């Protein structure tokens, strides 16, 4: 798929899938870097940088700012083809890839992710930003795939309320009408990527299989984007209260 076609689909639907973007060798390097972080870094991270599933196994549900802890992920932000793609989508020749995150759904007990928009947390104006999901495992209808509501990025930021879910502190009060903005399950194979816009409504179900579903995500925004700092401060207060309630 050419960059122009990727850009067109992204702006039309609010998301786009690109198959086979990362090579087997690149994935092996990512896996090695991730294993090192899980073993040596995750146990030292504070609340807000790592979240665990609420199960006996305490599997990692999400980790943030991986680029601060590993050369593998700081280098990933400089991936030439990924940079070229992101810059083409937003017509911004100096746009940078910002932060790298991990999201996992452990076999049989991966929790659900409620309907939300990333920009409710990010507070970007204008909303010319996206998240790039990189599949490390196969993502299927049975293991809780990322699910985007097609066209919902055009609706602006919708009302949210506290979710009581650590790592996803806000949930849409009411998701958009799914007859007008249908759910699309983003089924991926290792090395595939999905770009979704910061205003795209998305969610995921639990993992009901005997295999994990792990993904990386990279956030990026056009250089013309600014953050509404007052709105961001208000959002952070909500997250802080949730952390305090959970101890």
């Amino acid at each position: 798929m050419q960059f122009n076609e990727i850009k067109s689909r992204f702006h039309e639907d609010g998301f786009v899938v690109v198959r086979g973007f990362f090579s087997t060798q690149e994935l092996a390097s990512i896996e090695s870097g991730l294993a090192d972080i899980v073993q040596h870094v995750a146990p030292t991270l504070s609340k807000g940088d790592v979240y665990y599933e609420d199960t006996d196994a305490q599997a990692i549900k999400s980790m943030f700012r991986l680029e601060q802890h590993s050369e593998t992920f700081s280098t990933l932000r400089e991936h030439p083809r990924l940079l070229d793609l992101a810059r083409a989508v937003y017509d911004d020749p100096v746009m940078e890839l910002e932060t790298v995150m991990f999201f996992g759904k452990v076999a049989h007990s991966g929790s659900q992710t409620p309907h939300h928009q990333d920009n409710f947390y990010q507070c970007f104006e204008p909303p010319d930003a996206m998240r790039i999901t990189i599949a490390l495992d196969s993502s299927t209808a049975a293991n809780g795939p990322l699910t985007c509501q097609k066209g919902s990025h055009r609706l602006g930021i919708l009302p949210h309320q506290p979710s009581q879910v650590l790592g996803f502190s806000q949930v849409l009060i009411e998701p958009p009408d799914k007859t007008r903005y249908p759910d699309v399950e983003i089924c991926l194979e290792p090395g595939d990527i999905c770009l979704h816009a910061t205003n795209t409504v998305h969610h995921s179900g639990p993992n009901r299989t005997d295999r994990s579903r792990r993904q990386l995500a990279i956030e990026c925004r056009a250089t013309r984007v600014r953050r509404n700092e007052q709105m961001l401060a208000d959002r952070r207060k909500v997250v802080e209260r949730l952390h305090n309630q959970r101890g």
Side-chain angles (χ1 to χ4, degrees), residues 17-151:
V17 172
V18 184
R19 303 292 180 187
F21 192 89
F22 284 91
S23 69
T24 301
Q25 183 177 1
E26 288 172 323
L27 288 176
S29 176
I30 289 171
E31 289 280 16
S32 177
L34 181 61
D36 184 70
I37 285 184
V38 168
Q39 182 175 357
H40 300 292
V41 177
T44 72
L45 296 178
S46 58
K47 293 177 181 178
D49 287 327
V50 62
Y51 294 94
Y52 295 90
E53 294 285 3
D54 189 17
T55 64
D56 292 339
Q58 286 283 288
I60 295 174
K61 177 166 66 174
S62 56
M63 285 190 294
F64 300 91
R65 293 170 281 279
L66 302 189
E67 72 282 356
Q68 296 180 7
H69 307 290
S70 169
E71 184 177 352
T72 297
F73 298 107
S74 61
T75 301
L76 183 59
R77 297 189 307 164
E78 300 169 2
H79 191 285
R81 287 185 297 117
L82 203 56
L83 271 172
D84 287 346
L85 174 57
R87 290 168 174 173
V89 166
Y90 282 117
D91 293 319
D92 188 333
V94 294
M95 180 177 174
E96 299 294 337
L97 305 179
E98 296 187 0
T99 189
V100 185
M101 301 160 283
F102 168 84
F103 295 97
K105 286 185 184 287
V106 69
H108 296 298
S109 59
S111 60
Q112 300 184 57
T113 300
H115 289 76
H116 69 283
Q117 295 168 296
D118 295 335
N119 205 24
F120 189 83
Y121 308 93
Q122 295 167 328
C123 309
F124 289 150
E125 299 173 347
D128 295 339
M130 65 181 169
R131 181 169 288 183
I132 303 170
T133 296
I134 304 169
L136 302 181
D137 300 314
S138 296
S139 181
T140 70
N143 69 6
L146 170 68
T147 302
C148 296
Q149 286 196 244
K150 186 176 181 179

Side-chain angles (χ1 to χ4, degrees), residues 131-184:
R131 181 169 288 183
I132 303 170
T133 296
I134 304 169
L136 302 181
D137 300 314
S138 296
S139 181
T140 70
N143 69 6
L146 170 68
T147 302
C148 296
Q149 286 196 244
K150 186 176 181 179
S152 60
H153 61 303
R154 301 191 193 95
L155 297 174
I157 299 179
L158 302 172
H160 288 60
Q161 63 187 358
S163 69
Q164 304 305 311
V165 178
L166 286 173
F168 300 97
S169 61
Q170 299 287 320
V171 58
L172 279 173
I173 294 175
E174 184 177 359
D177 179 357
K178 294 194 177 185
T179 59
R180 295 184 62 189
Y181 305 98
D183 276 343
V184 178

Side-chain angles (χ1 to χ4, degrees), residues 2-21:
Q2 299 298 312
F3 281 3
N4 283 342
E5 184 181 357
I6 293 170
K7 175 182 175 181
S8 177
R9 290 191 183 182
F10 175 84
H11 288 292
E12 176 67 23
D13 296 340
F15 62 91
V16 63
V17 172
V18 184
R19 303 292 180 187
F21 192 89

